[in-house]
Amino acid sequence: MEMRMRMILCLLVIISIIGCVHGDENESFRKQPTKVKTVKGTKMCVKDWECNKLSKFCCNLTITDYLDTDQFELLFTKRNSPVAHAVGFWDYGSFIRATALYQPLGFGTTGGKKMQMKEIAAFLGHVGSKTSCGYGVATGGPLAYGLCYNKEMSPSQDYCDDYFKLTYPCTPGARYYGRGALPIYWNYNYGAIGEALKLNLLDHPEYIEQNATMAFQAAIWRWMNPMKKGQPSAHDAFVGNWKPTKNDTLSKRLPGFGTTMNILYGDAVCGQGDVDSMNNIISHYQYYLDLMGVGREEAGPHEVLNCAEQKPFNPTAAPAAAS
């Protein structure tokens, strides 16, 4: 009997060890019970580390409730393939840690579950498109290669604009080429994002290509903040917080995914008709909707999904005509 009990105890120990080694990768993201407080008649919540500032958005689902490690791997299944240029850099943990800054502000936590999932698919649709090394006949399809890059491979210049030398002066030797999940270019953008994240990106722009959490934080900051005062952020345009003016309506700018492209890229993508650069971003968004179980049919009608005929919020200055 004693020998049998010893064998059972040994078996339990072995099972416990195996469970620790092969346990769920999401284990480290388990949360403590939600803390609830009513402030001026509004229900406010705190959800452990992931949504850790008192906010009405923290009373909703948080991102780990509907996007886990396996789903992230499914979205970016080829990011560590032999053709990728950032093998081992991007991962689920870095993304979730980055979102913790913004979930109390509504990133991925606005509205019901469907809207929340759509926003994450939309944001990652931009990220996947801008960091892809996929091509037409790539194994697994061209949309499976998001997060293939974390920096511009052959920068043609240093992207230093001396017009901003008083506010965001270029550091000697620093190069402000494209880096990150939504690539950052130019000293003034590194400076503004660095101020927001409390990072010295003017002296050390390389931080963005060295730390995936910082890279995701920078990208989410761009998503959550307008390019100019009085204009919507991509987040507000997508989730419906933004109400278009008459001028916006005349410019065919409507709440939805199409306007997020207008905000982030302007006339580099929008107002150009049915161009590949626009369609590639849309295709990534629809692909991620399908993989997340939402379905591309939830992306909305064509006029909401694209920006082919939208006037840009911030048109590029036309070059002066030759005299």
Side-chain angles (χ1 to χ4, degrees):
M1 186 68 174
E2 185 179 349
M3 180 64 70
R4 186 179 177 185
M5 288 299 296
R6 286 181 180 178
M7 289 177 65
I8 291 172
L9 286 171
C10 287
L11 183 60
L12 289 172
V13 170
I14 291 170
I15 291 171
S16 176
I17 291 171
I18 292 172
C20 289
V21 173
H22 298 287
D24 187 356
E25 289 183 44
N26 299 301
E27 184 74 25
S28 60
F29 294 110
R30 291 200 175 178
K31 298 181 282 289
Q32 297 296 319
T34 302
K35 297 177 183 177
V36 182
K37 185 177 182 180
T38 300
V39 179
K40 296 182 179 179
T42 300
K43 182 181 176 183
M44 310 281 272
C45 299
V46 173
K47 285 190 178 178
D48 199 30
W49 62 270
E50 188 180 4
C51 208
N52 64 358
K53 293 182 180 178
L54 196 64
S55 164
K56 65 178 182 179
F57 299 110
C58 296
C59 299
N60 299 331
L61 294 176
T62 50
I63 295 173
T64 59
D65 291 325
Y66 57 82
L67 183 75
D68 61 20
T69 304
D70 292 340
Q71 289 170 307
F72 185 87
E73 294 297 324
L74 188 62
L75 300 184
F76 302 106
T77 184
K78 298 292 184 180
R79 74 182 190 281
N80 292 323
S81 65
V83 300
H85 299 277
V87 173
F89 183 75
W90 304 104
D91 60 22
Y92 174 77
S94 298
F95 174 64
I96 295 300
R97 284 188 289 273
T99 68
L101 276 181
Y102 301 97
Q103 292 194 56
L105 304 177
F107 178 70
T109 52
T110 296
K113 182 178 180 181
K114 184 185 290 184
M115 173 55 77
Q116 293 174 286
M117 295 176 75
K118 284 175 63 177
E119 182 179 13
I120 295 304
F123 170 77
L124 292 177
H126 284 279
V127 169
S129 174
K130 294 301 175 182
T131 59
S132 175
C133 59
Y135 53 95
V137 294
T139 304
L143 302 178
Y145 288 80
L147 296 180
C148 175
Y149 294 100
N150 64 353
K151 63 180 178 180
E152 184 180 1
M153 297 306 295
S154 301
S156 59
Q157 56 175 303
D158 291 342
Y159 297 96
C160 173
D161 188 342
D162 277 338
Y163 180 81
F164 295 89
K165 62 184 178 182
L166 296 180
T167 50
Y168 300 120
C170 298
T171 298
R175 305 186 71 193
Y176 303 101
Y177 56 78
R179 297 177 177 91
L182 289 178
I184 310 166
Y185 293 86
W186 297 101
N187 53 307
Y188 49 87
N189 286 321
Y190 277 92
I193 292 172
E195 282 181 348
L197 298 180
K198 296 180 172 56
L199 298 171
N200 184 6
L201 295 183
L202 277 177
D203 287 346
H204 298 285
E206 71 277 3
Y207 286 169
I208 299 298
E209 66 182 86
Q210 294 173 348
N211 186 299
T213 298
M214 290 182 186
F216 275 128
Q217 285 174 343
I220 301 170
W221 183 87
R222 285 187 63 193
W223 178 263
M224 296 295 291
N225 288 275
M227 297 292 288
K228 290 183 179 179
K229 189 176 180 179
Q231 296 179 1
S233 66
H235 165 76
D236 285 337
F238 187 82
V239 302
N241 292 341
W242 169 61
K243 305 303 179 188
T245 64
K246 183 179 179 180
N247 183 55
D248 289 317
T249 303
L250 291 173
S251 300
K252 300 189 176 181
R253 299 191 291 254
L254 305 170
F257 187 77
T259 297
T260 68
M261 293 187 283
N262 193 329
I263 293 165
L264 294 174
Y265 318 119
D267 52 17
V269 170
C270 298
Q272 307 293 329
D274 194 35
V275 295
D276 288 344
S277 55
M278 178 190 74
N279 289 327
N280 184 266
I281 302 167
I282 294 172
S283 294
H284 278 80
Y285 171 43
Q286 293 174 319
Y287 177 70
Y288 296 155
L289 283 175
D290 286 343
L291 291 181
M292 291 175 69
V294 178
R296 66 181 58 211
E297 64 275 8
E298 295 292 339
H302 187 66
E303 62 270 18
V304 170
L305 192 55
N306 80 93
C307 62
E309 297 181 10
Q310 289 188 17
K311 290 184 179 179
F313 284 101
N314 302 299
T316 304
S323 56

